[in-house]
Amino acid sequence: MNRRGVALVSTAHVADDFYQGAVPALLPFLVAERHYTYAAVSGLTLAATFLSSVAQPAFGWLTDRRPRRWLIPGGMGLAALGVALAGLMPTYPLTWVVIALSGLGVAAFHPDAARAARQASGDSNRAMSIFALGGNVGYALGALVTTPVLVWAGLHGTPVLLAPAAVMIVVLVLRLGPVLDGPSGRRARTASPAVADEWPAFLRLTGVVVIRSIIFFGITSFVALYLIARLHASHVVGGAALTVFLVAGALGTLAGGWLADRTSALMSIRVGFVLAGPAIAGIVLAGNLAVAFVFVALSGIALYIPFAVFVVLGQDYLPNRIGTASGVTVGLAVSIGGLFNPIFGAVADATSLRTSLAIVMVLPVLGLLVSLTLREPAVRRNRRTQPTQGPPEPPPDAVERE
């Protein structure tokens, strides 16, 4: 594991996903200052998230044809520029366009960043979990920093938000090549994998990612409302429950990488689903807020345990198409899961929030059953069965590795 490489790419992930988190924080100010309707605000959310997720496999396909590492700083720069311009645009269509451009920048960043993270991490799931955690931290910081900036300066203060990307882009341009490839910045040749892509297994994995995403959106959309309606929590306490879920999820991300390194990626995924069902049931059945918060935290841990592992496993199933695998598991499959969320809303309107969450509660069983159809990727099986040989000579410009 190239520790400096993991640290650098993970920090870049923080800076990039900062702009994903900044968009939701912008929306209340757009409503207040420009009097946008909720439908208009939903359109901006769609531009920032769904369009970005759908575009990620396309960027992954491009990077599979030829790695384009410049997309890491370039995508980040576009993501930052879109957010910075959003507060300056005079009309809604122009605001929508720049928000969409920001989403495309995020989409451009992720596939090659995931490739670089894999290069730095080697076979370490723990290192990839750190990379994934960087995105979670960046999203949280985006919301945390954007609100006080706009309270202080109004919408015309959005250019201030360019600062994190500007600093990180300079660092990436100067250091990314040398840190990943050695002091000369000369990339080592990567041998083609000795196995074919396993598309049937990858498609089943994509189904698992979609199921996890459906559960995730169901919890994050309705848990605060459920606690308010069922347990008479205040809006502040309901919001705090969502924060607890996301913070616990950060711990789950690291735990999932640790578990996968000590057992297997498939075991990490299955453990996450096994824990998720009872944890969500605990939320539904909790009789007071203290107990509910405990199960909210456990749900966050359980649902994030497989999060980083999905990326590594997808790359192992498609060893010849690392970018495509990253784009699908990080972007497209997640957004498809979000499309099911209106169904839960309709169920809640027709019956109750408790019924809607009860449906969410049984979905981990489906995720577990689909995950049981998966087997270890051929890349890893071959690696284990190859005869043991002495370590290869390191290149003269190799960086220090763990």
Side-chain angles (χ1 to χ4, degrees):
M1 181 170 63
N2 178 348
R3 290 179 172 178
R4 288 186 297 163
V6 171
L8 179 58
V9 181
S10 299
T11 305
H13 201 185
V14 174
D16 180 81
D17 282 19
F18 176 94
Y19 297 98
Q20 277 192 307
V23 171
L26 274 170
L27 301 181
F29 294 90
L30 291 169
V31 171
E33 294 190 26
R34 298 183 182 173
H35 310 292
Y36 287 167
T37 65
Y38 291 129
V41 165
S42 298
L44 295 177
T45 302
L46 183 67
T49 56
F50 182 72
L51 189 61
S52 169
S53 298
V54 170
Q56 283 193 44
F59 284 107
W61 177 79
L62 282 175
T63 62
D64 284 336
R65 293 172 63 86
R66 187 182 65 178
R68 292 169 169 84
R69 198 178 281 170
W70 60 268
L71 283 173
I72 299 176
M76 184 189 303
L78 184 59
L81 184 63
V83 168
L85 292 176
L88 306 179
M89 293 296 101
T91 65
Y92 177 80
L94 288 175
T95 304
W96 193 95
V97 168
V98 296
I99 291 291
L101 288 176
S102 179
L104 288 175
V106 171
F109 169 89
H110 277 100
D112 233 303
R115 182 194 297 274
R118 181 62 184 267
Q119 177 185 341
S121 66
D123 291 326
S124 172
N125 289 281
R126 179 168 57 92
M128 286 299 289
S129 72
I130 293 171
F131 171 73
L133 180 61
N136 299 340
V137 172
Y139 190 95
L141 286 176
L144 186 66
V145 172
T146 299
T147 298
V149 167
L150 298 187
V151 167
W152 164 66
L155 280 175
H156 285 85
T158 50
V160 174
L161 300 173
L162 283 168
V167 173
M168 195 69 232
I169 287 170
V170 171
V171 173
L172 289 171
V173 169
L174 295 177
R175 297 299 303 155
L176 185 61
V179 167
L180 290 180
D181 306 320
S184 70
R186 180 164 46 85
R187 301 187 197 184
R189 288 187 177 181
T190 303
S192 298
V195 297
D197 294 326
E198 300 176 79
W199 279 103
F202 179 76
L203 293 176
R204 291 195 296 274
L205 174 66
T206 301
V208 174
V209 178
V210 169
I211 293 168
R212 184 263 178 195
S213 177
I214 294 171
I215 301 169
F216 173 82
F217 280 109
I219 295 295
T220 55
S221 298
F222 298 115
V223 68
L225 295 172
Y226 177 76
L227 297 183
I228 293 168
R230 179 77 180 178
L231 300 179
H232 311 293
S234 67
H235 285 79
V236 172
V237 173
L242 185 56
T243 301
V244 167
F245 177 84
L246 295 174
V247 170
L251 299 177
T253 301
L254 295 176
W258 177 87
L259 178 62
D261 278 344
R262 279 152 184 77
T263 56
S264 70
L266 293 175
M267 179 62 69
S268 184
I269 291 171
R270 291 161 185 166
V271 166
F273 282 119
V274 166
L275 296 177
I280 300 170
I283 299 174
V284 174
L285 300 174
N288 60 69
L289 284 172
V291 173
F293 265 67
V294 170
F295 284 107
V296 166
L298 291 176
S299 298
I301 292 171
L303 285 175
Y304 272 93
I305 282 175
F307 186 62
V309 178
F310 287 144
V311 181
V312 178
L313 194 59
Q315 292 175 341
D316 282 342
Y317 280 137
L318 300 184
N320 302 289
R321 292 174 174 83
I322 295 291
T324 299
S326 302
V328 172
T329 54
V330 175
L332 182 61
V334 173
S335 68
I336 291 174
L339 294 179
F340 286 80
N341 215 38
I343 297 175
F344 295 119
V347 170
D349 286 335
T351 56
S352 68
L353 280 169
R354 194 177 198 191
T355 302
S356 189
L357 282 177
I359 296 173
V360 176
M361 180 180 72
V362 302
L363 288 177
V365 177
L366 178 60
L368 176 62
L369 291 175
V370 178
S371 73
L372 290 174
T373 68
L374 298 172
R375 64 173 186 166
E376 193 174 17
V379 167
R380 290 186 177 270
R381 297 198 305 271
N382 286 2
R383 202 174 292 148
R384 267 207 323 270
T385 57
Q386 283 175 353
T388 303
Q389 298 177 352
E393 286 292 324
D397 58 351
V399 297
E400 180 183 349
R401 297 179 182 273
E402 181 183 23

